[in-house]
């Protein structure tokens, strides 16, 4: 089974250096930011790894190809995935400012046609743009079946067909799809027994987790030797046609916090009514 | 315990001298403000006072001094040696209402704060200017600056930044008799005779009450990488430490814990080591590396030289926080899964393996039924020795046995030229062991200082010396 996993980096929100907006509000600046893999991509990456391994024997039985679109140092995000166990990577060099979900889907379409994976497994959205569009557009461009928000995936024929459960507000939906297809993941895909690949024993349970696996030191070292192909939009024959133009960006209002001690309950009630306006 | 009638007179005088609402004698408040995190002593203060200014602290101490009312200065009460415990009818002087943080001076990299400012609030104030007050530990959300200074608190960043005493430029102190001392200011350099500030830092409220401080700030660190390593023996931990000392980075933390600590954290909080290999010792290393390639090369060397059995590097701040939680959760998880008896000792680093070998042998020979949980800031030679109460042993019998064990432990510490309290202070809990670390000459000098600064002995009596 061969799975293509698109990954992007997002600003690490817990780092002291926060995202800033340029003075005129026209663009988000990335100066001095620390990056991490988009957490939604980390879920689909982990699911792809589970689909392509014999977990009991700790053996890889399939191939996961990572693809990332962005500046050259985005290769770090690919290396992180390779350290977790993926086989190889593709870096499509581009400026973040030139991309929108449409262009991303165009690029992924070109790569999917070239790589011919059984599955393209995306994060359902990115933690920064929150667009939730690229996966759906890609399936449309490729004319492949799409399963969004997959929470349980089973295959017993090495990924030729899948039985996939989706999480809905009103319950669960079970779909049967034939490869090649496009998946996006809900967080439930990380549940200990959410992936059945026909190779790992049926009763095998992964540890409870809310993210991807940690890279071992050996994994980090091996990742340095794994192949990462570098290409460009032109190299892939993609003529980018952006459909979105960003108007402006604003940061959330700064939070203020301090402790004020009051003498009486009456004073507290009054402040809750007049200042906090919560009563 | 002070006599009832003079106490009543002292409280009448306090009520008359202070604005309304500063004083409470409500039973629930007495219980709460009379204890710290040691939880071994029964709290029994006679009252709690919440002054709002240095002038009000002066008033409190003048009245207390005149009436001979003992006073326990009190901060966030997160101490682990009973330094803020009031168990004998003392007046608790809580600084918590004095929590003002003045504007940060970004040029001088200083900030003036009142003693009741919460440590983490100071971090937030400084962070907005790309600065930090590098005093950092698990209880930072409750601990207060005054308490940090009075106890010269340690923590997880000591290896990088040193103890709290290095991060205070100026102090405002009120003496037992109600005199205000302005010691230092916002000056980096002030070479004008003996440094009186340092007398009060670490004095645990026995020599004066710190009411305000000018704190020195450091630039916020840039990217930090966090590693968790599985290592075979304590000697192996020190091999990794040696390698870390030579590493192409600034070391900002080097922490160790044993498999038993990890098991308790797993049981209590459901946290799991992300490593596939199980080991007896785990090391958490945090570094600031200017060159990621050099850092990678260092890491590869650890694997190639087989200094570590297994390891991981956090790929995001979430992963870093998870790795840290395995270490920072230990103290809470030991208490959450049983009754720990805690010791906090320091040893010269080079002598740690020999010391730990003797410690294990001692425990195995004399206390085979005790579970020993070791963790600590190994990079500072600071070891937290925790002995867990066996399920089937009575608490009283356990405390008696651990007291015997402490005597043996402290003798061992003394023999290895260590300290009986690395960062928790002396308070009530370690008082009887002070002479294992301090000479008779030093103790005589301590008492002379106490007699000079607090002639009536009203400040935190019974603590430290």
């Amino acid at each position: 089974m061969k799975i293509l996993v698109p990954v992007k980096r997002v600003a690490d929100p817990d780092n002291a250096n926060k995202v800033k907006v340029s003075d005129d509000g026209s663009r988000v600046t990335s100066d001095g930011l620390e990056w991490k893999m988009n957490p939604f991509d980390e879920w689909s990456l982990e699911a792809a790894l589970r689909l392509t391994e014999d977990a009991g024997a700790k053996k890889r039985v399939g191939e996961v190809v990572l693809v990332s679109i962005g500046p050259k140092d985005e290769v770090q995000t690919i290396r992180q995935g390779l350290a977790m166990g993926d086989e190889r990577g593709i870096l499509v060099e581009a400026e973040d400012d030139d991309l929108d979900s449409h262009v991303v889907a165009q690029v992924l379409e070109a790569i999917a046609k070239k790589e011919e994976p059984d599955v393209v497994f995306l994060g359902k959205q990115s933690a920064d743009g929150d667009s939730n569009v690229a996966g759906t557009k890609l399936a449309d461009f490729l004319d492949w079946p799409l399963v969004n928000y997959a929470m349980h995936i089973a295959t017993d024929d090495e990924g030729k067909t899948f039985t996939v459960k989706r999480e809905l507000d009103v319950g669960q939906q079970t779909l049967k799809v034939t490869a090649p297809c496009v998946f996006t993941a809900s967080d439930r895909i990380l549940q200990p027994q959410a992936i059945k690949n026909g190779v790992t024993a049926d009763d095998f349970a992964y540890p409870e987790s809310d993210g991807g696996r940690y890279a071992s030191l050996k994994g980090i070292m091996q990742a340095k030797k794994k192949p990462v192909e570098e290409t460009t939009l032109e190299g892939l024959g993609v003529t980018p046609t952006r459909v979105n133009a960003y108007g402006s960006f604003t940061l959330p209002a700064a939070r203020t916090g301090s402790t004020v001690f009051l003498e009486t309950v009456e004073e507290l009630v009054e402040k809750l009514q007049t200042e906090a306006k919560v009563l | 315990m002070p006599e009832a009638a003079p106490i009543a007179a002292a409280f009448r005088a306090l009520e008359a001298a202070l604005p309304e609402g500063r004083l409470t004698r409500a039973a629930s408040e007495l219980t709460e403000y009379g204890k710290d995190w040691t939880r071994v002593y029964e709290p029994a203060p006679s009252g709690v006072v919440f002054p709002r200014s240095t002038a009000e602290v002066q008033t409190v101490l003048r009245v207390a001094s005149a009436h001979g009312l003992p006073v326990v200065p009190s901060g966030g009460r997160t101490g682990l040696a009973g330094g803020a415990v009031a168990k004998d009818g003392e007046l608790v002087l809580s600084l918590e209402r004095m929590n003002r943080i003045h504007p940060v001076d970004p040029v001088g990299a200083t900030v003036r704060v009142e003693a009741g400012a919460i440590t983490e609030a100071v971090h937030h104030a400084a962070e907005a200017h790309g600065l930090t007050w590098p005093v950092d530990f698990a209880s930072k959300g409750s601990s207060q600056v005054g308490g940090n200074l009075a106890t010269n608190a340690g923590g997880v960043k000591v290896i990088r930044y040193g103890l709290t005493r290095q991060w205070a430029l100026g102090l405002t102190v009120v003496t037992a008799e109600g005199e205000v001392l302005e010691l230092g200011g916002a000056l980096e350099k002030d070479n004008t005779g003996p440094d009186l500030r340092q007398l009060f830092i670490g004095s645990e409220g026995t020599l004066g009450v710190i009411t305000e401080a000018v704190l020195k700030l450091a630039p916020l660190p840039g990217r930090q990488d966090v590693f968790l390593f599985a290592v075979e023996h304590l000697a192996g931990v020190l091999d990794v430490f040696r390698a870390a000392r030579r590493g192409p980075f600034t070391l900002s933390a080097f922490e160790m814990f044993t498999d038993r600590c990890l098991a308790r954290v797993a049981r209590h909080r459901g946290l799991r080591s992300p490593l596939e290999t199980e080991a007896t010792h785990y090391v958490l290393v945090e570094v600031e590396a200017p060159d990621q390639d050099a850092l990678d090369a260092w890491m590869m060397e650890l694997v190639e030289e087989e200094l570590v059995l297994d390891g991981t590097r956090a790929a995001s701040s979430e992963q870093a926080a998870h790795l840290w939680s395995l270490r920072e959760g230990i103290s809470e998880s030991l208490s959450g899964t049983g009754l720990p008896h805690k010791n906090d000792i320091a040893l010269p680093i080079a002598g740690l393996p020999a010391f730990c070998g003797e410690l294990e042998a001692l425990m195995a020979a004399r206390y085979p039924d005790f579970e020993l949980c070791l963790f600590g800031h190994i990079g500072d030679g600071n070891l937290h020795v925790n002995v867990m109460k066996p399920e089937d042993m009575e608490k009283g019998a356990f405390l008696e046995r651990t007291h015997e064990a402490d005597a043996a432990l402290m003798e061992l510490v003394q023999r290895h030229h260590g300290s009986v309290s690395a960062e928790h202070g002396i308070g009530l809990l370690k008082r009887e062991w002070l002479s294992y670390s301090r000479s008779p000459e030093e103790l005589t000098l301590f008492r002379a200082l106490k007699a000079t600064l607090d002639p009536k002995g009203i400040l935190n009596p019974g603590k430290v010396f």
Side-chain angles (χ1 to χ4, degrees):
Chain A
M1 190 179 343
K2 177 174 173 178
I3 304 181
L4 186 69
V5 178
V7 290
K8 73 174 272 187
R9 63 179 190 182
V10 294
D12 194 334
D14 296 324
N15 197 270
N17 295 313
K18 306 290 182 204
V19 168
K20 294 178 193 69
V21 169
S22 63
D23 289 340
D24 62 359
S26 69
R27 56 189 295 271
V28 175
T29 62
S30 56
D31 309 336
L33 289 180
E34 294 293 333
W35 303 98
K36 68 168 189 176
M37 188 183 289
N38 174 32
F40 301 107
D41 294 344
E42 212 179 295
W43 302 350
S44 49
L45 170 52
E46 177 64 28
L49 284 169
R50 291 181 188 184
L51 277 167
T52 51
E53 71 185 357
D54 180 341
K58 295 188 168 68
K59 221 178 94 199
R60 303 281 306 140
V61 296
E63 185 183 20
V64 176
V65 181
L66 289 164
V67 53
S68 198
I69 313 167
K72 224 176 174 75
D73 58 349
E74 183 121 9
V75 74
Q76 296 300 338
T77 315
I78 293 177
R79 293 277 174 214
Q80 184 193 333
L82 296 177
M84 290 161 73
D86 301 321
E87 275 63 29
R88 60 190 175 89
I90 301 169
L91 173 66
V92 184
E93 265 193 76
E95 289 302 318
D96 284 330
D97 285 347
D98 298 336
L99 301 171
D100 67 358
S101 304
H102 190 88
V103 179
V104 167
Q106 283 184 298
V107 172
L108 295 178
E109 180 198 10
I111 292 176
K113 282 182 171 158
K114 190 168 149 233
E115 289 286 335
E116 298 181 334
D118 299 300
V119 180
V120 185
F121 208 150
L122 300 93
K124 65 186 171 82
Q125 67 201 75
S126 66
D128 51 7
D130 267 345
S131 304
N132 199 339
V133 169
T136 307
K137 279 207 178 202
L138 174 64
D140 183 38
F141 292 173
L142 290 166
D143 202 15
W144 289 2
L146 166 72
V147 185
N148 271 333
Y149 320 127
M151 59 174 282
H152 189 282
I153 300 175
T155 175
D156 53 13
D157 53 12
E158 292 174 17
K160 289 184 186 66
T161 59
F162 295 92
T163 306
V164 188
K165 284 185 191 158
R166 292 183 65 217
E167 190 179 12
L168 307 175
D169 276 352
V170 291
Q172 282 180 13
Q173 188 182 49
T174 304
L175 294 102
K176 287 188 181 295
V177 286
T178 306
C181 49
V182 176
F183 296 156
T184 73
S186 102
D187 60 342
R188 297 216 173 178
I189 204 72
L190 296 178
Q191 289 196 338
Q193 295 192 296
I195 302 277
K196 303 283 177 202
N197 67 359
V199 181
T200 298
D202 254 6
D203 59 354
F204 183 89
Y206 284 93
E208 295 281 351
S209 159
D210 52 10
R213 60 192 62 186
Y214 284 65
S216 70
L217 297 185
K218 288 196 178 82
I220 296 171
M221 285 165 59
Q222 283 160 0
K224 290 187 174 297
K225 295 176 191 135
K226 290 181 179 173
V228 178
E229 178 194 335
E230 292 185 12
T231 180
T232 58
L233 269 61
E234 300 78 60
L236 291 166
V238 171
T239 312
T241 48
R242 278 182 56 167
V243 294
N244 289 335
Y246 296 111
S248 69
F249 297 91
T250 11
L251 291 174
R255 273 187 293 180
T256 57
S258 65
T259 310
V260 180
F261 288 93
L262 304 173
E263 299 302 327
T264 63
V265 174
E266 288 74 26
E267 216 181 318
L268 173 66
V269 172
E270 195 217 307
K271 280 195 184 289
L272 289 175
Q273 283 172 336
T274 57
E275 287 181 27
K277 296 191 169 66
V278 291
L279 287 183
Chain B
M1 188 166 306
E3 300 282 328
I7 285 194
F11 276 94
R12 276 196 302 276
L14 279 173
E15 259 163 12
L18 290 167
E20 217 178 309
R22 300 292 193 263
L23 202 59
T24 177
R25 303 188 73 182
S28 61
E29 302 284 58
L30 296 185
T31 313
E32 186 56 31
Y33 284 89
K35 67 183 176 195
D36 65 3
W37 279 7
T38 36
R39 306 283 148 95
V40 211
Y41 306 100
E42 281 303 313
S46 56
V48 189
V49 64
F50 301 98
R52 300 288 175 91
S53 64
T54 297
E56 287 186 17
V57 174
Q58 259 185 300
T59 305
V60 171
L61 288 171
R62 278 187 186 137
V63 172
S65 196
H67 289 80
L69 178 64
V71 172
V72 175
S74 181
R77 303 187 314 287
T78 57
L80 297 166
V85 166
K87 62 179 184 64
D88 294 312
E90 303 94 330
L91 172 69
V92 173
L93 193 171
S94 170
L95 279 307
E96 75 176 26
R97 301 287 171 97
M98 292 181 62
N99 65 347
R100 188 160 170 218
I101 300 173
H102 291 258
V104 170
D105 170 2
V107 180
T110 62
V111 62
R112 185 175 184 89
V113 303
E114 291 183 335
I118 303 279
T119 313
E120 201 166 33
V122 176
H123 292 169
H124 288 317
E127 209 177 273
H129 301 272
L131 297 166
T132 187
W133 191 48
V135 171
D136 192 5
F137 30 71
S139 61
K140 63 188 165 204
S142 315
S143 76
Q144 298 169 11
V145 169
N148 295 342
L149 290 165
T151 58
N152 186 29
V156 291
K157 298 292 167 69
V158 172
I159 193 169
R160 168 81 168 89
Y161 294 103
L163 290 161
T164 302
R165 69 164 76 255
Q166 280 156 256
W167 297 94
L169 292 177
L171 291 187
T172 304
V173 176
V174 182
T175 65
E177 313 251 84
E179 298 298 323
V180 175
L181 301 175
E182 290 288 352
L183 306 173
L187 298 178
E188 180 69 43
K189 301 179 91 170
D190 180 16
N191 197 354
T192 50
D195 189 347
L196 293 175
R197 290 171 308 177
Q198 299 298 346
L199 261 187
F200 296 96
I201 299 177
S203 71
E204 300 186 39
T206 59
L207 301 180
V209 178
I210 298 168
T211 58
E212 292 179 60
V214 178
L215 305 177
K216 180 175 160 175
L217 305 174
L220 264 181
R223 182 196 165 91
Q224 288 171 315
D225 279 289
V226 179
F227 295 89
L228 180 71
F229 298 120
V231 181
E232 204 148 11
H233 317 284
L234 185 74
V237 172
L238 292 185
D239 288 340
V240 178
F241 183 60
R242 222 164 283 134
R245 276 291 192 213
R246 292 194 314 259
F249 44 67
T250 306
L251 197 54
S252 66
F254 192 95
E255 301 283 314
M256 185 278 286
F257 51 94
T258 60
D259 50 351
R260 290 181 192 142
C261 297
L262 185 62
R264 294 262 176 185
V265 173
R267 179 137 60 96
H268 182 235
R269 297 184 54 188
L271 297 177
R272 213 176 48 85
S273 153
L275 305 182
E276 285 184 3
T277 314
E278 289 184 4
T280 54
H281 292 74
Y282 295 89
V283 175
L284 184 145
V285 184
E286 185 183 84
V287 302
E288 293 162 34
D291 179 348
Q292 287 289 311
D293 290 336
L295 180 63
D296 284 351
W298 173 80
M299 188 185 77
M300 283 186 205
E301 230 176 83
L302 289 187
V303 179
E304 277 158 13
E305 290 178 12
E306 295 179 358
L307 292 180
V308 298
L309 299 171
D310 195 0
T312 188
R313 177 173 66 194
S316 65
S317 45
E318 276 145 7
Q319 288 194 352
H322 173 72
L323 296 182
W324 265 113
S325 69
L326 298 175
R327 163 62 188 88
E328 291 208 300
I330 293 172
S331 210
E332 202 186 316
S333 293
L334 294 186
S335 305
T337 56
L339 179 68
H341 171 71
K342 293 172 168 297
N343 269 298
D344 160 48
I345 55 177
L347 278 307
I349 295 175
L352 265 177
F355 171 85
C356 287
E358 281 191 55
L359 175 67
E360 298 260 5
L362 174 89
M363 297 297 292
R366 290 177 53 184
Y367 313 98
D369 44 347
F370 287 176
E371 179 187 339
L372 185 63
C373 292
L374 286 179
F375 65 100
H377 320 293
I378 284 298
D380 313 320
N382 183 181
L383 204 57
H384 295 308
V385 180
N386 286 253
V387 176
M388 302 301 295
K389 183 181 86 64
E391 301 274 338
D392 53 358
M393 191 182 281
E394 292 288 328
K395 187 178 169 186
F398 174 67
L399 292 177
E400 210 170 290
R401 294 269 312 273
T402 50
H403 191 258
E404 286 169 33
D406 280 354
L409 171 66
M410 295 312 174
E411 275 167 30
L412 196 61
V413 169
Q414 190 175 31
R415 200 145 40 75
H416 285 264
H417 310 288
S419 166
V420 298
S421 185
E423 60 176 3
H424 290 179
I426 296 296
L428 284 170
L429 205 58
K430 305 296 172 195
R431 200 176 157 207
E432 66 179 299
W433 311 118
L434 183 60
S435 65
Y436 285 68
S437 280
R438 300 293 204 144
S439 67
E441 294 77 10
E442 279 179 294
L443 294 176
T444 305
L445 192 54
F446 278 174
R447 291 189 190 105
L449 282 169
K450 173 77 175 170
T452 304
L453 287 160
D454 179 18
K456 291 184 178 161
I458 63 158
L459 280 177
N460 225 0
K463 313 286 170 55
V464 190
F465 35 75

